[in-house]
Amino acid sequence: MYGRRRSVGDVTPQQNESRTLRQLTYYVGTTLDGFIAGPDGQFDFFPFEGDLAAALVTEYPETFPAHGRGPLGLDGVANKRFDTVLMGRGTYGHGLAAGVTSPYPHLAQYVFSRTLAPLDPAVEIVSGDPVAFVRGLKRQDGAGIWLCGGADLAGQLLGEIDELVVKRYPVVAGSGIPLFRAPFLPTGFTLTDSRVFTSGATVTTYTKESRMLFRPTTEADLDRVTAVTVDEPVGWIDADRYLEELGEGMYRPEWTWIAEQDGRVVARALWWGQAGSEHPVALDCLYVDPSVADRAAVGAELIGAGLRAFAEQGAAKPPLYNLTLPTGWREDPAVVAAADWRRAAALAAGLTDVVERLRLEWTPEAGLPAGSGRLVFTEGTDEEFLDVFRRIAVGSLDAETRRNVALMGAEAAAQEEVDFYLGCPGERSWWRLARTPDGAVAGLALPSATPYNRNVGYLGVVPELRGQGYVDDVLAEITRVQVEAGAELITATTDTDNAPMAAAFARAGYRVAQTRLVWSVPESAPAQ
């Protein structure tokens, strides 16, 4: 079978992401028993006095609202750490109750609510996903971002919080609004500073443990995804191609996965599928930044995270991983090195079946291959094609055909082939049965197409007629059909182990353009 794996085009390098992201700090006061406010949102029981008050005014002047800045001598005092504040609906509501619609006019103010209408031009209401919004803010130029509260917003943004500054007062509330309201999700932070004040209050600073986050992207990540470049001599997807096929539904944010560490994208995996696919078909491009100590381990984690997510979403078959390499790739140490860590990643992620395939191309300069005239090509019914697919599958040298026959039997494997090619961009009316002059079926010829080129979809000869050169006639017929339709380039693929088929392509003027390594999850035959 041919044309099942798509190729990766030439690319133009771009600048990899290097900007340091802004930090999100949850700066908040709490009681000894972990409440940031009473049951009705009250917080006037927190003591604000002595050396603690002086320290907070000096170090965090921008966290005091406008109506309180004058009495504290903060009018005209510049911001020190933050230029942005985030508030949940309840936190913002405390000011509204007192008639204050813009509590922090010296900061960019964002309130997260799906129901609140805008009340002040200085305050932006955010009704969408807080996580996606904050990720976008972090990539903008600016100072730190202050998460003011409350518990629900803090819970939603837990994965995005880079720093915790907790003012712990020597008070027990008994009940109230907790520091976080979120599902059980232990998240590690490292103590970086702690101070005790004369009142018994403490100010403790924690930073998030540096760990790698593996996740699918959102639309807010688009610039970061397209900024990644691959400087290794292997096939990859550049920004222009990604954006074009993203618009056509062949790449999607949920099929595009990244690994982040300290706010920086350190790895990227692009899964591809046909425009109408519910699930991705193949991993097209895997990249891990050279600064990562163990690129294979991170690549394996990223592939594994994607595969688990696709399975949970109902994908019946795990996507393949296609790595496109130049011809003669084993002779180039740089290509070998690039392939080696990707191979290790694929194997560690459970993609342990590997096939090496040739991508071939025919162009008019090669000349139109001539048939011998021994075969006649006719139309056929779906049932006839299904029967010939089944017969050809027996004794096939194609690795995937052998695998499918072993897994599901020749009949089911043939049906899968028919369904696959019916779903390709090529037309069913192009299909032909190859017959000997006496009308006996000798094989089949399926000219087809990918989203990119006309191609040799499938060709084969029935077992009892193999070895008589009929494969040359079938391939010549497919090539003729495509050329008469105006094709200037015809692509094809075959396994490197399928020497007879590779030789037939060479005789027909098809040249080897690339090599592909294809990894997949092994499948076992069903119990009998």
Side-chain angles (χ1 to χ4, degrees):
M1 73 202 75
Y2 310 93
R4 178 162 298 204
R5 309 290 175 255
R6 54 186 293 276
S7 63
V8 186
D10 293 333
V11 296
T12 302
Q14 298 182 51
Q15 183 66 39
N16 276 329
E17 176 190 46
S18 60
R19 173 186 292 178
T20 300
L21 300 182
R22 299 166 71 189
Q23 279 203 332
L24 176 64
T25 298
Y26 189 18
Y27 170 73
V28 64
T30 178
T31 63
L32 292 177
D33 49 348
F35 296 107
I36 62 174
D40 298 320
Q42 60 269 42
F43 53 86
D44 53 359
F45 57 89
F46 286 122
F48 181 73
E49 58 191 10
D51 54 351
L52 171 64
L56 299 183
V57 167
T58 301
E59 297 173 25
Y60 297 92
E62 63 268 38
T63 63
F64 291 90
H67 63 273
R69 291 172 67 84
L72 294 172
L74 292 176
D75 285 340
V77 174
N79 300 335
K80 289 196 173 181
R81 294 196 49 179
F82 310 117
D83 65 5
T84 302
V85 60
L86 312 181
M87 295 172 278
R89 173 67 177 84
T91 300
Y92 183 57
H94 294 304
L96 289 182
V100 178
T101 59
S102 178
Y104 302 99
H106 49 286
L107 301 174
Q109 303 172 86
Y110 298 97
V111 174
F112 293 81
S113 173
R114 291 186 173 87
T115 59
L116 187 65
L119 298 172
D120 192 294
V123 177
E124 181 175 335
I125 306 299
V126 180
S127 60
D129 177 19
V131 172
F133 185 83
V134 168
R135 287 174 180 167
L137 277 183
K138 285 184 172 186
R139 290 192 293 275
Q140 297 176 9
D141 292 329
I145 304 168
W146 171 35
L147 172 57
C148 181
D152 290 317
L153 183 59
Q156 293 176 73
L157 293 175
L158 176 57
E160 297 300 316
I161 293 173
D162 303 294
E163 182 183 53
L164 281 170
V165 179
V166 180
K167 300 168 289 181
R168 188 176 300 276
Y169 295 93
V171 175
V172 173
S175 66
I177 298 173
L179 194 61
F180 291 92
R181 188 176 285 123
F184 180 73
L185 182 65
T187 303
F189 285 81
T190 300
L191 176 67
T192 57
D193 185 63
S194 184
R195 289 177 290 168
V196 180
F197 295 87
T198 55
S199 66
T202 62
V203 175
T204 309
T205 302
Y206 302 88
T207 57
K208 183 168 289 180
E209 293 178 357
S210 180
R211 63 183 180 87
M212 209 166 285
L213 174 66
F214 300 88
R215 64 173 179 86
T217 62
T218 66
E219 291 182 2
D221 296 307
L222 182 59
D223 288 345
R224 305 170 78 200
V225 169
T226 56
V228 173
T229 59
V230 179
D231 54 2
E232 298 165 287
V234 298
W236 64 288
I237 306 299
D238 72 346
D240 290 341
R241 183 166 183 174
Y242 179 82
L243 291 171
E244 178 182 351
E245 297 185 20
L246 179 71
E248 296 172 357
M250 292 187 284
Y251 291 116
R252 301 177 194 174
E254 64 270 25
W255 295 352
T256 300
W257 282 65
I258 56 176
E260 290 179 298
Q261 188 165 37
D262 298 329
R264 188 170 70 94
V265 173
V266 296
R268 184 190 72 171
L270 307 180
W271 275 274
W272 177 93
Q274 294 188 10
S277 299
E278 184 177 357
H279 304 289
V281 173
L283 172 60
D284 252 3
C285 183
L286 174 67
Y287 177 72
V288 179
D289 192 275
S291 65
V292 174
D294 192 338
R295 300 174 83 183
V298 171
E301 287 274 0
L302 189 57
I303 294 173
L307 295 182
R308 287 190 296 273
F310 303 144
E312 291 170 0
Q313 292 159 14
K317 197 172 185 179
L320 310 170
Y321 172 28
N322 293 325
L323 176 62
T324 302
L325 304 169
T327 57
W329 65 274
R330 288 183 173 85
E331 300 170 6
D332 187 334
V335 181
V336 171
D340 279 350
W341 74 258
R342 289 173 169 86
R343 176 191 294 110
L347 297 178
L351 304 175
T352 54
D353 278 4
V354 61
V355 177
E356 186 168 337
R357 298 175 68 81
L358 303 175
R359 183 186 183 277
L360 306 117
E361 294 181 350
W362 180 94
T363 56
E365 292 77 18
L368 190 64
S372 68
R374 297 181 298 161
L375 296 178
V376 177
F377 294 90
T378 66
E379 296 182 357
T381 65
D382 287 352
E383 291 74 18
E384 288 176 310
F385 277 105
L386 180 62
D387 178 64
V388 180
F389 267 111
R390 178 186 56 77
R391 292 169 63 186
I392 290 173
V394 177
S396 172
L397 296 179
D398 181 86
E400 187 165 351
T401 299
R402 295 199 309 267
R403 168 177 156 160
N404 287 341
V405 169
L407 175 67
M408 61 184 73
E411 189 75 30
Q415 186 63 63
E416 184 172 273
E417 295 288 3
V418 170
D419 293 341
F420 175 81
Y421 285 103
L422 286 173
C424 287
E427 299 293 333
R428 167 64 175 81
S429 60
W430 301 348
W431 298 12
R432 293 292 183 270
L433 295 172
R435 299 182 183 273
T436 60
D438 62 2
V441 172
L444 53 75
L446 263 67
S448 190
T450 70
Y452 315 98
N453 300 293
R454 291 280 189 135
N455 79 332
V456 176
Y458 192 104
L459 77 160
V461 175
V462 295
E464 61 269 25
L465 295 179
R466 288 172 184 159
Q468 301 180 40
Y470 286 128
V471 66
D472 293 334
D473 295 284
V474 175
L475 182 53
E477 174 66 10
I478 292 175
T479 307
R480 181 193 66 78
V481 170
Q482 299 288 40
V483 170
E484 288 186 357
E488 293 289 326
L489 172 67
I490 306 170
T491 62
T493 60
T494 191
D495 296 350
T496 55
D497 289 342
N498 193 345
M501 189 62 72
F505 277 113
R507 290 192 297 271
Y510 286 74
R511 69 174 185 87
V512 177
Q514 295 170 327
T515 301
R516 282 189 199 150
L517 296 178
V518 182
W519 289 277
S520 58
V521 173
E523 299 185 65
S524 302
Q528 301 296 314

